[in-house]
Amino acid sequence: MDLRDFHFIMIKPTHYDDDGYPIQWLRSAIPSNTLASLNGLAEAARERNALGEGVHIHLHAYDETNKRVMPGKIARDIKKRGGKALIALVGVQSNQFPRAADLARKFMAEGVQTAIGGFHVSGCISMLDEMPAELVELQDEGVSYFAGEAEDRRLDQVFRDAWDSDLKPLYNFMADLPSLGGEPTPILPSKHIQFTAGSHSSFDLGRGCPYQCSFCTIINVQGRKSRFRSADDLERIIRDNYEQGINRFFITDDNFARNREWEPLFDRLIALREKENFDIKFIIQVDTLCHRIENFIEKATRAGVNRVFIGLENINPDNLLAAKKRQNKITEYREMLQKWRNHGATTYAGYIIGFPGDTKEAVLRDVEIIKKELPLDLLEFFYLTPLPGSEDHKVLLSKNTWMDPDLNKYDLNHRVSHHPKMTDTEWEEAYREAWESYYSDEHIETVLRRAAAHPKGRPGNKLFLMMWFKLMVQHEGVHPLEGGYFRLKFRRDRRSGLPIEHPLVFYPKYFWQIVSKHWASVAAVWRVHRIYKKVKASPDRRSYSDIAIAPMDKASEEDLAMIKETRGGTEAVAKSARDAALRKAGKERAKASASA
């Protein structure tokens, strides 16, 4: 036993399913960027002896989506090894706060210092005049909070306070967002990455967003002034991860297209791929105007971007305006998606259901329009959710408007407020039927045909991804972003306040769920795989075309249902024409000035 040991235990909590069990998998899909970032910062603190010579800092990381967290066992291990410890529940979103609170109370009961950080804490402190009751209650029990970002050696202060058994109730850095340049590499040991789907990890190259979307928490947590890592930082991140066999990455920047250093960053990745033969691939997130940036899509795909998530959000201009998402232009959607398709990238898009102008009929109509007229591969649906830390939440709170008190439901996959036009039932039906419509066998076949028609289409990859989304929603009852392979449940890990089920109830039910879900999944995969084989075997698959992928002039595009049948579409076309005329006039003036 060494009393000069300090244990820093980083835990990224999951959240509970509707039955009160943590959502966990044998293999989860998306690695935690927060966990990788904090682990990298903690490794740097250890290397510089943040607690002085002679104190050994031990780091332990848990991603609860794929690793069971047992507070009692962890506490016993700490006591056995000796020294002091700090439990850090990191990256806690609003829907994860109930789970984080349950874990925190268990660790505190074991006598282990505990702190919570993440978007829920930071968002509430950023936007609300008073700390919410759930935060106050837990703080009164001795849990500390960390608001803001941990770069700029801020962990050193927290480590010293924990070593002195004198944690502050709140570490608030919201008014001082740090630079990212030169900061330590976001990295997790490969032993943690093996529990995700493939050799994937994640990191960010920029934080902050200049836009003002009212449903977004990022602008109020990470700020509206963008901060970036350098190309040298990026290369170090890639090399450090590549050395331990990690070569697939999710760049978590909310909008990579607004990173002013995008070109040097892509150029560095291109050099690694083309000059040093690095086998690296990336998923990035962009806005709907990225195709206007000269060479952006071309360089992105050369750099290894093979999947791109696009903040489409809606095809109704009035809804976009109501949410202050003025940057989205529905007249640009089709051209942008076609350009990504032509360069071989798989396109994802998020679509929000529940804007003030929505009705069930309008939502389902718009989904049909998207299926027919936009060459999207994957579409993810979300409830419009007043997330703590967003302007929407603050407005509803100020008006004393009902919002569901159960934070566990704030995962964008549950309805947590009422709608001005739809009943609660209609809203829930619109959400459920939107998923069913887009991931119907008929539309899966359409997407596969579009992919098979293009030399870079990768229909097999499209099949896998579409079936993943379909099965997570239909058979696992979770959003695909929370999905994984083989659901794990542990009887005693149930949410506080709910009874622990008797073994003769829990285990037969769990076994039946495993069997029935896998049987249904196998049947669905077999059925759709036959469609895939038919598409692949079609001798004329290269000649397939439809409205979404066919070239079209501007006059014809104005006849699209997306323009004609959605409210505000005509005005959007007119504005697009005016903007194009102004851009043309500006170019002509610049040309004339240069000639003079």
Side-chain angles (χ1 to χ4, degrees):
M1 180 180 292
D2 190 347
L3 297 180
R4 302 296 291 171
D5 283 349
F6 179 73
H7 302 275
F8 184 51
I9 298 96
M10 297 161 281
I11 301 172
K12 179 67 170 76
T14 183
H15 90 286
Y16 295 109
D17 63 18
D18 291 340
D19 292 327
Y21 292 99
I23 298 175
Q24 294 176 314
W25 310 92
L26 186 65
R27 293 288 183 273
S28 59
I30 300 178
S32 169
N33 171 57
T34 303
L35 203 57
S37 293
L38 196 62
N39 184 72
L41 295 172
E43 285 186 352
R46 177 172 60 183
E47 290 170 5
R48 63 175 174 266
N49 295 316
L51 291 177
E53 297 291 340
V55 178
H56 307 289
I57 299 176
H58 304 275
L59 305 180
H60 315 268
Y62 293 80
D63 184 342
E64 205 187 12
T65 61
N66 56 50
K67 189 174 184 180
R68 189 183 183 193
V69 173
M70 295 182 284
K73 182 179 184 303
I74 292 173
R76 288 192 296 274
D77 287 345
I78 292 170
K79 292 173 183 176
K80 181 178 179 181
R81 294 173 183 175
K84 295 187 177 182
L86 171 62
I87 303 293
L89 295 157
V90 307
V92 178
Q93 300 172 15
S94 294
N95 68 88
Q96 297 160 346
F97 189 82
R99 176 59 180 167
D102 281 352
L103 289 173
R105 287 189 169 101
K106 291 179 180 178
F107 281 115
M108 293 292 290
E110 296 284 349
V112 186
Q113 300 174 99
T114 305
I116 297 177
F119 263 64
H120 184 66
V121 172
S122 297
C124 289
I125 289 175
S126 171
M127 291 296 286
L128 303 180
D129 296 331
E130 297 181 355
M131 192 180 287
E134 74 274 359
L135 293 181
V136 173
E137 182 179 346
L138 204 57
Q139 190 179 53
D140 288 344
E141 296 175 32
V143 174
S144 297
Y145 294 124
F146 188 100
E149 299 170 9
E151 281 79 10
D152 199 20
R153 301 194 175 189
R154 291 168 180 173
L155 272 185
D156 292 19
Q157 178 184 346
V158 179
F159 281 7
R160 286 193 296 269
D161 290 347
W163 180 251
D164 294 335
S165 300
D166 187 30
L167 277 180
K168 305 298 185 291
L170 172 64
Y171 296 85
N172 186 0
F173 296 101
M174 290 303 299
D176 184 17
L177 298 176
S179 169
L180 300 181
E183 289 290 341
T185 297
I187 192 168
L188 281 172
S190 57
K191 66 180 182 180
H192 298 296
I193 300 299
Q194 67 178 327
F195 292 106
T196 59
S199 52
H200 286 69
S201 191
S202 60
F203 59 86
D204 57 18
L205 291 174
R207 296 177 194 161
C209 179
Y211 296 127
Q212 301 180 43
C213 307
S214 64
F215 53 79
C216 182
T217 60
I218 289 173
I219 55 178
N220 303 313
V221 172
Q222 296 184 348
R224 293 182 179 174
K225 180 180 179 181
S226 299
R227 297 160 288 132
F228 309 110
R229 300 186 196 270
S230 68
D232 289 341
D233 294 331
L234 170 60
E235 181 173 344
R236 187 176 66 252
I237 291 169
I238 298 301
R239 289 187 182 278
D240 288 350
N241 280 278
Y242 203 77
E243 283 182 6
Q244 56 177 5
I246 299 167
N247 60 0
R248 298 293 184 266
F249 303 93
F250 175 31
I251 301 178
T252 61
D253 300 31
D254 187 57
N255 187 355
F256 193 83
R258 298 306 122 192
N259 188 322
R260 62 174 179 265
E261 299 298 321
W262 68 266
E263 194 161 25
L265 294 169
F266 281 156
D267 286 342
R268 189 66 62 91
L269 294 174
I270 290 169
L272 289 172
R273 282 168 51 84
E274 297 181 358
K275 294 180 180 179
E276 300 191 42
N277 296 316
F278 271 49
D279 176 22
I280 46 178
K281 298 288 185 183
F282 302 90
I283 304 172
I284 65 171
Q285 301 182 103
V286 298
D287 60 32
T288 59
L289 296 178
C290 59
H291 64 296
R292 284 192 185 173
I293 304 172
E294 187 175 0
N295 292 325
F296 180 85
I297 292 179
E298 290 82 358
K299 287 202 170 185
T301 48
R302 279 184 65 196
V305 174
N306 65 344
R307 300 184 197 173
V308 57
F309 183 89
I310 302 155
L312 195 75
E313 316 305 11
N314 212 265
I315 62 171
N316 184 329
D318 292 339
N319 282 341
L320 295 169
L321 187 62
K324 297 185 179 180
K325 200 170 181 70
R326 299 177 178 87
Q327 68 271 25
N328 277 27
K329 315 293 181 186
I330 67 167
T331 52
E332 305 278 348
Y333 286 0
R334 192 169 169 278
E335 178 185 351
M336 175 266 302
L337 290 166
Q338 285 190 344
K339 194 166 185 179
W340 280 113
R341 175 179 181 270
N342 290 338
H343 284 81
T346 297
T347 52
Y348 299 67
Y351 199 83
I352 297 174
I353 296 175
F355 284 117
D358 278 340
T359 63
K360 178 183 174 182
E361 293 74 19
V363 167
L364 298 180
R365 177 207 62 197
D366 291 352
V367 172
E368 291 302 318
I369 291 173
I370 291 171
K371 288 162 58 177
K372 183 178 180 182
E373 296 182 353
L374 292 180
L376 262 175
D377 298 316
L378 298 161
L379 192 57
E380 301 174 1
F381 297 99
F382 305 97
Y383 280 102
L384 182 63
T385 302
L387 292 171
S390 69
E391 181 184 342
D392 285 353
H393 177 268
K394 185 174 184 178
V395 169
L396 292 182
L397 196 64
S398 67
K399 294 180 178 178
N400 201 28
T401 302
W402 181 85
M403 292 180 284
D404 199 305
D406 185 2
L407 287 172
N408 192 68
K409 295 180 180 178
Y410 284 68
D411 58 357
L412 313 183
N413 193 39
H414 289 81
R415 179 190 58 77
V416 297
S417 60
H418 300 309
H419 192 270
K421 288 188 176 181
M422 292 185 281
T423 65
D424 294 346
T425 299
E426 288 173 335
W427 195 359
E428 291 165 359
E429 288 175 347
Y431 179 77
R432 184 179 65 253
E433 291 176 24
W435 280 107
E436 293 172 354
S437 174
Y438 194 85
Y439 291 93
S440 64
D441 289 359
E442 292 77 16
H443 188 59
I444 290 176
E445 180 172 353
T446 297
V447 172
L448 294 179
R449 288 191 179 280
R450 291 172 182 167
H454 197 283
K456 298 179 179 179
R458 300 184 297 154
N461 176 259
K462 304 292 190 295
L463 174 67
F464 171 78
L465 293 171
M466 291 197 81
M467 287 307 295
W468 177 276
F469 277 53
K470 180 185 180 79
L471 296 178
M472 287 300 108
V473 173
Q474 289 189 358
H475 300 312
E476 292 290 354
V478 301
H479 197 280
L481 296 181
E482 293 187 307
Y485 171 70
F486 198 91
R487 178 67 195 279
L488 302 177
K489 286 187 180 183
F490 299 96
R491 187 174 68 91
R492 295 189 175 277
D493 290 354
R494 203 173 194 191
R495 184 177 184 178
S496 63
L498 295 177
I500 301 298
E501 293 184 297
H502 191 279
L504 294 179
V505 174
F506 174 83
Y507 289 107
K509 183 168 63 175
Y510 178 38
F511 176 76
W512 172 245
Q513 289 172 345
I514 292 172
V515 172
S516 60
K517 288 176 183 178
H518 281 76
W519 178 259
S521 296
V522 168
V525 169
W526 172 252
R527 186 179 66 250
V528 176
H529 186 68
R530 293 174 64 187
I531 296 174
Y532 167 75
K533 290 177 65 176
K534 180 182 70 173
V535 169
K536 286 280 288 184
S538 176
D540 60 347
R541 69 179 190 272
R542 293 291 191 212
S543 62
Y544 174 82
S545 185
D546 59 28
I547 293 174
I549 62 176
M552 187 178 292
D553 58 36
K554 289 294 181 183
S556 299
E557 283 189 344
E558 292 179 13
D559 288 331
L560 292 173
M562 183 174 65
I563 303 299
K564 294 174 64 177
E565 295 186 23
T566 58
R567 299 177 298 280
T570 303
E571 290 83 352
V573 169
K575 187 177 186 306
S576 178
R578 291 195 300 271
D579 291 344
L582 289 172
R583 288 195 298 271
K584 181 179 180 182
K587 289 180 180 178
E588 291 175 350
R589 285 194 299 270
K591 185 177 180 181
S593 177
S595 299

